[in-house]
Amino acid sequence: DSHALFPNELAEEASEPFDRLVAIADLHGDFPNALKVLMMSDIVDAQGRWIAGRTHLIQTGDIVDRGPNSTALLDLFANLQTEAELAGGRDTCLLGNH
């Protein structure tokens, strides 16, 4: 369907609904506060491991920039992508504007 919200290949991947959708943005390299937000949202435990089961986490951009822990955040979200997939969830990271 040319009017679909997602291209066909993405629509096929998303055919199983997730239990929950959580969106976060503008973490700006602030690892300690990003971890707090993810914990308050029941996405990760205190060690940063995925505990959200069949949740779709969408990070809408700007993981890096102002804070000193951009690399740690990139590593965290890379690990969460693998852990989420194993649990039936998904971690989608968008670029943002920096």
Side-chain angles (χ1 to χ4, degrees):
D1 178 18
S2 63
H3 300 291
L5 181 60
F6 299 106
N8 287 338
E9 60 275 4
L10 291 178
E12 289 173 15
E13 285 183 29
S15 62
E16 295 266 339
F18 295 101
D19 296 338
R20 203 166 60 116
L21 173 67
V22 176
I24 60 172
D26 298 308
L27 300 174
H28 292 291
D30 186 349
F31 186 87
N33 282 318
L35 189 59
K36 287 179 188 176
V37 167
L38 292 168
M39 289 172 59
M40 289 187 316
S41 303
D42 294 323
I43 299 294
V44 300
D45 62 16
Q47 288 74 43
R49 292 181 300 238
W50 184 266
I51 60 167
R54 294 189 36 77
T55 296
H56 187 174
L57 171 64
I58 301 175
Q59 197 295 118
T60 63
D62 298 341
I63 290 177
V64 301
D65 192 21
R66 298 178 183 102
N69 305 112
S70 294
T71 302
L73 276 175
L74 290 170
D75 290 343
L76 173 66
F77 277 91
N79 291 335
L80 290 178
Q81 286 181 334
T82 302
E83 293 173 14
E85 185 177 321
L86 291 171
R90 182 175 294 162
D91 172 17
T92 300
C93 294
L94 306 177
L95 291 177
N97 64 343
H98 44 206

